[in-house]
Amino acid sequence: MIPLEKALKIVGRNIPRLGQERVAIGESVGRILAENIVADSDQPPFDRSMMDGFAVVAADIANAPTTLKIVGEAAAGRGWQHKLKRGEAVRIMTGAPVPAGADTVQRVELTRSRFQDAEEFVEILEPAKKGMSVVKKGSEIRRGKRLFVAGDVVTPQNIAALAAFGYARVWVAKRPRVAIFGTGTEIVEVAKKPGVDQIRNSNSITLAALSSRFGAAPEIFPNAKDDLASLKKAIKAAVRGRDILITTGGVSVGKYDLTKAALTELGAEIFFEKVALKPGKPVIAARLGKTLVFSLPGNPVSAAVTFYLFVRAAIVGMQGVRTSSMQEGTAVLSDAVKAAKDRHTFTAARLANDKGGRLVAIPLRGKGSSDLVSFANAEALISLEMNTRAEVGDQARILYL
Ligand code: AMP
Ligand code: MG
């Protein structure tokens, strides 16, 4: 049994970097940037009006109400290409360039325009501070400045910046190709009605969903039975052309736990097979050819926790994500939790806020590592060093799921 930190380091050291590919911007959300994103122009590209109103010289309206002559119109996409003089105003729309000579926009609600002798005038009802409702050219970002770097993820939040600076196609890391299968003579497919002694395979679909979430391209293979020949055949078929293989089940010390034997017979290099971790003590990390293999415990909660700790790190690391550890935080405990004597312990928890607005972790009182029903509500893992306990009201370290 090796310490958790050591196991994480071993995985970290053995993650190869995958290549990159160029995808259409619309396909890039969730992908990891393989290039830096640089502003190709000032933003905004010109002094831009934030309001519908009148472009003026602030000094002209300092003693408003005051009347100015309307000399033109600036609309979005159709600016007024002259120089505004003192005593003049230009009708301006949101998004339009503020004409040269003007320094301020007074919004239309604070104005009244009228015709007189075929000329148009506007009465500005209130003064405005110089620069009001004008976003200066380059004030959001200057041309040539870097916004995001290789290793950052593309999100719905930052994709607007990629679009604004012309990244119609984006270099991103290739998706790790992940093969997944379950092992266990008792496992049947989700669509089947389990017979006596049988259960449905809930792990493969969970691991595929988790793999996709972290940017991989997963593929589910048929389950293997608990015999060496079946396991070896399944492993050989699944590793071909894949960056990662994830299997579940058959890693414990039972008579039919044969995954390690199958891997060894196929010539895999085993990095570790037992980690001081709860849940998830029996967990194999190995390499077969160029494929990283993670053989996770069959119990659904153990499989999910070991995925988050080890497989997730490999998937994001292959894509060049800069920090591959899970997002951490602290929360106040609503109940006491206790670690195993000799293993780093993770307890699934729900999160809430107490009356004072503090983040609270509420441990899920499930029936252990097989209880996928209780784990369905998990939002975080409470992380406890081996042989420690934490009491109600203590601040605990949590990992967000
Ligand atoms: P094992 O790790 O093979 O000893 O399996 C531990 C427990 O997890 C057993 O109760 C298995 O039936 C269950 N299990 C194994 N594989 C799966 C799977 N793919 N989906 C759901 N439960 C599983
Ligand atoms: Mg089994």
Side-chain angles (χ1 to χ4, degrees), residues 182-183 186-187 199-203 248-252 257 297-300:
T183 76
E186 77 279 27
I187 305 301
I199 60 160
R200 291 197 181 95
N201 176 4
S202 61
N203 284 344
T248 59
V251 290
S252 197
D257 291 329
N299 270 317

Side-chain angles (χ1 to χ4, degrees), residues 67-72 84 87-90 119-122:
T67 297
L68 303 172
K69 187 176 169 197
I70 301 175
V71 293
L84 182 130
E88 295 178 342
V90 163
E119 293 196 312
E120 203 181 5
F121 295 87
V122 60

Side-chain angles (χ1 to χ4, degrees), residues 237-299:
V239 291
R240 198 169 302 131
R242 304 281 163 359
D243 303 300
I244 295 175
L245 165 63
I246 313 171
T247 73
T248 59
V251 290
S252 197
V253 291
K255 182 174 166 197
Y256 298 104
D257 291 329
L258 300 168
T259 307
K260 186 193 165 197
L263 284 167
T264 308
E265 285 192 20
L266 289 169
E269 178 190 351
I270 309 283
F271 298 138
F272 55 77
E273 56 182 297
K274 266 198 191 63
V275 180
L277 171 65
K278 185 185 173 183
K281 174 167 86 169
V283 53
I284 299 173
R287 181 166 42 220
L288 181 55
K290 286 198 165 121
T291 308
L292 285 184
V293 181
F294 295 94
S295 291
L296 313 181
N299 270 317

